[in-house]
Amino acid sequence: MSDTTNTDAGAQELSIGEVAARTGLSVHALRFYEREGLLVGPVRRTSGGRRRYTSVDVEWLLICVKLRESGMPLADLEHFAELVRNGPGNEAERLALLDAHRRRVDAQIQALEECRSVITWKVGVYTEHLARGEADGLWDPTA
């Protein structure tokens, strides 16, 4: 997906409920994203005031969901959306923001892999002791 908004008048428009179903975000979260300036374009409204989203909005929101799920701070996501809204010329800043986030995610993955290694080792210790029918060598806080 490119970091641009879709101005195609023929684009399919979706209700807030449809967008919630496609993105996994609640209707409340979608309103929050709009209020906090996390969308790259204005959300169109019907004459009755109902929000209408485009497929580009959905694609952008799916990126936002992954960035948030991976721990990107809200302030960074707001800044990224602002950069995208500002258009061409700030791609190096966008890249720096995304690269810094990738490095944080890589560090989290490394830490989780180390945790998994310890857990795997402890599962092996318990499995071995239970297979032998003994608890000797296992920590017992009551001993």
Side-chain angles (χ1 to χ4, degrees):
M1 173 187 160
S2 66
D3 289 340
T4 59
T5 56
N6 183 358
T7 57
D8 179 9
Q12 176 189 17
E13 292 190 339
L14 305 165
S15 71
I16 195 167
E18 291 168 323
V19 173
R22 290 183 185 198
T23 63
L25 293 167
S26 68
V27 168
H28 176 75
L30 288 168
R31 290 183 184 124
F32 173 81
Y33 271 46
E34 181 182 357
R35 191 171 52 250
E36 293 299 313
L38 296 173
L39 300 174
V40 292
V43 175
R44 290 186 273 211
R45 304 259 182 167
T46 66
S47 59
R50 295 186 180 268
R51 289 169 176 84
R52 300 305 292 172
Y53 297 86
T54 67
S55 59
V56 171
D57 294 323
V58 172
E59 290 176 27
W60 174 256
L61 286 164
L62 290 171
I63 291 169
C64 290
V65 166
K66 291 303 177 190
L67 292 173
R68 288 294 291 149
E69 283 179 354
S70 63
M72 179 178 272
L74 196 54
D76 286 356
L77 185 55
E78 289 172 358
H79 185 60
F80 185 55
E82 178 184 8
L83 290 170
V84 171
R85 275 193 305 275
N86 288 340
N90 59 28
E91 292 82 4
E93 192 174 352
R94 294 183 212 179
L95 174 60
L97 191 148
L98 290 170
D99 192 48
H101 182 61
R102 183 189 49 80
R103 287 192 308 272
R104 285 190 304 268
V105 169
D106 287 345
Q108 291 171 340
I109 290 169
Q110 178 62 36
L112 285 171
E113 287 174 346
E114 291 170 11
C115 293
R116 182 177 55 197
S117 178
V118 169
I119 293 166
T120 300
W121 169 69
K122 286 304 290 178
V123 165
V125 168
Y126 275 79
T127 300
E128 180 182 318
H129 282 271
L130 288 173
R132 288 195 317 248
E134 60 184 49
D136 292 343
L138 298 177
W139 289 337
D140 181 358
T142 62

